[in-house]
Amino acid sequence: MSEYCEGLVIDLHNHSNKSDGLYSPSEVVRKAFDAGIRVFGLSDHDNVSGIDEACAEAVKAGISLVAGVEITTPRKIHIQGLCIDIENKSLTELLDMQNRKRREYTELLCRKLADVGVFIDYDDLMGTFAGTVNKYNVSQYMVNRKMVELTSPDDVYEKYFATGGLVTIKEAPWCSMTEAVETILNAGGIPVLAHVWRYFDPKKPENTEDVRRQKMHELTRAFREAGGEAMETLGCKQLNAFEKEYPTELALEFGLYASCGTDYHRDDKVPLGTRYVFDERLVPVWKHPKFRFYGSKG
């Protein structure tokens, strides 16, 4: 498997409209092929319902598909599972629980929006999207239904849902990081700590580089102690040298395989097609013994 991957453009973290991406699973696969990607991972939020559609398109396009999921845990730390068995009972039970919590959270969110004068039909909202619904989807809905004067979902999100926004709501009671890691392992997958540099917002004055370094270190240690096996070291909007270099040092310190991905949602965010080149000291995740393509027997 690792020999097959050498020299190919590989992108292991992407989203479809089964969570908060813009395009269907088959459309995302075609876009990946057109961008030169030949090993492609689909990892929707708390959702694996797009994997089979993506696989059918990948077979036609000549792309090797990696089945993934991105599980939400407290503080919105995302644990990605690569090469999972999407029919594994412990996985499906956890995702069912996550999405029940997400629906309850979204219903409460609609009530909170009504308090500030935005009245959303919850049933219509949930029926508008193909998969899981999050605050960004709600922002899209508000724009599409012309419920606000703003025309960008990003601006709506910033005004209503970002820190200091008009709607204040506690986070949903997501599963713990340990539960996410254990479930991915039970499903035969590889637990990956996603985009560690994105959890500690550098725009906040208290998050100096030294503070971010300490928090990223603590999070990676906790992930490793929970049984985590890999982490993203490249991709997902790295903004400066620190964000590009420190994850590599963390992966080396904690003995984690290195993964990469665009975290693609739509073209106007981060486009597909980047060729990620790891530090030569790292071991790519496709050299992990459990790394496999969806539908393959190997």
Side-chain angles (χ1 to χ4, degrees):
M1 193 70 71
S2 61
E3 291 78 8
Y4 172 84
C5 290
E6 296 304 325
L8 297 179
V9 180
I10 297 171
D11 194 318
L12 298 175
H13 185 164
N14 302 281
H15 296 275
S16 75
N17 65 358
K18 297 299 183 181
S19 60
D20 54 349
L22 181 61
Y23 302 103
S24 70
S26 57
E27 288 172 326
V28 174
V29 169
R30 288 196 295 273
K31 285 178 140 320
F33 179 83
D34 290 343
I37 296 167
R38 294 300 177 264
V39 177
F40 182 79
L42 182 66
S43 296
D44 279 315
H45 294 285
D46 301 304
N47 191 327
V48 294
S49 64
I51 297 295
D52 283 327
E53 179 186 335
C55 183
E57 190 62 34
V59 169
K60 289 191 286 186
I63 284 182
S64 296
L65 182 76
V66 175
V69 67
E70 193 172 14
I71 298 176
T72 311
T73 72
R75 293 186 296 144
K76 300 223 177 124
I77 305 299
H78 290 162
I79 307 302
Q80 187 187 32
L82 293 179
C83 309
I84 50 173
D85 171 7
I86 66 171
E87 296 180 351
N88 175 267
K89 184 179 179 184
S90 62
L91 177 67
T92 57
E93 288 178 348
L94 179 87
L95 297 184
D96 284 345
M97 178 188 70
Q98 291 281 96
N99 282 292
R100 184 171 63 254
K101 292 176 179 177
R102 189 181 294 275
R103 288 191 296 271
E104 292 169 355
Y105 179 83
T106 304
E107 193 167 12
L108 176 58
L109 191 68
C110 289
R111 294 201 296 271
K112 292 281 188 177
L113 281 166
D115 292 340
V116 296
V118 179
F119 299 95
I120 289 180
D121 184 321
Y122 172 79
D123 292 331
D124 185 56
L125 168 70
M126 300 305 287
T128 298
F129 297 97
T132 54
V133 174
N134 61 22
K135 285 188 283 192
Y136 192 80
N137 296 127
V138 177
S139 302
Q140 291 174 307
Y141 180 91
M142 290 162 67
V143 169
N144 293 340
R145 293 292 192 274
K146 297 183 172 24
M147 305 181 77
V148 290
E149 293 182 358
L150 299 168
T151 58
S152 163
D154 293 302
D155 291 340
V156 173
Y157 187 96
E158 189 68 25
K159 177 177 179 178
Y160 287 90
F161 305 130
T163 302
L166 294 177
V167 173
T168 302
I169 182 172
K170 287 185 179 180
E171 189 179 0
W174 306 117
C175 71
S176 70
M177 181 167 64
T178 297
E179 288 176 297
V181 169
E182 289 178 349
T183 299
I184 291 165
L185 291 171
N186 287 338
I190 305 166
V192 182
L193 177 58
H195 42 61
V196 67
W197 53 91
R198 291 203 4 216
Y199 300 124
F200 311 109
D201 188 354
K203 294 183 207 172
K204 294 182 178 179
E206 65 269 24
N207 283 335
T208 64
E209 185 174 304
D210 285 343
V211 169
R212 293 180 75 206
R213 186 184 300 271
Q214 179 183 356
K215 289 180 177 180
M216 288 164 66
H217 189 274
E218 290 172 354
L219 174 59
T220 307
R221 179 188 294 280
F223 171 73
R224 187 70 181 93
E225 290 175 350
E229 298 180 334
M231 68 181 293
E232 289 180 329
T233 63
L234 290 174
C236 303
K237 286 175 133 181
Q238 289 165 303
L239 300 177
N240 52 45
F242 167 70
E243 293 185 358
K244 292 176 181 177
E245 294 167 4
Y246 190 51
T248 289
E249 300 307 316
L250 289 172
L252 290 168
E253 178 180 350
F254 291 103
L256 296 166
Y257 287 86
S259 189
C260 58
T262 301
D263 197 6
Y264 176 81
H265 289 74
R266 58 191 193 275
D267 293 334
D268 62 347
K269 285 288 190 181
V270 182
L272 290 165
T274 299
R275 181 181 286 271
Y276 297 108
V277 180
F278 292 126
D279 185 297
E280 61 184 11
R281 296 171 294 169
L282 295 171
V283 181
V285 71
W286 51 87
K287 292 189 176 182
H288 192 293
K290 289 186 290 187
F291 190 86
R292 64 188 183 277
F293 302 133
Y294 185 66
S296 69
K297 295 180 181 179

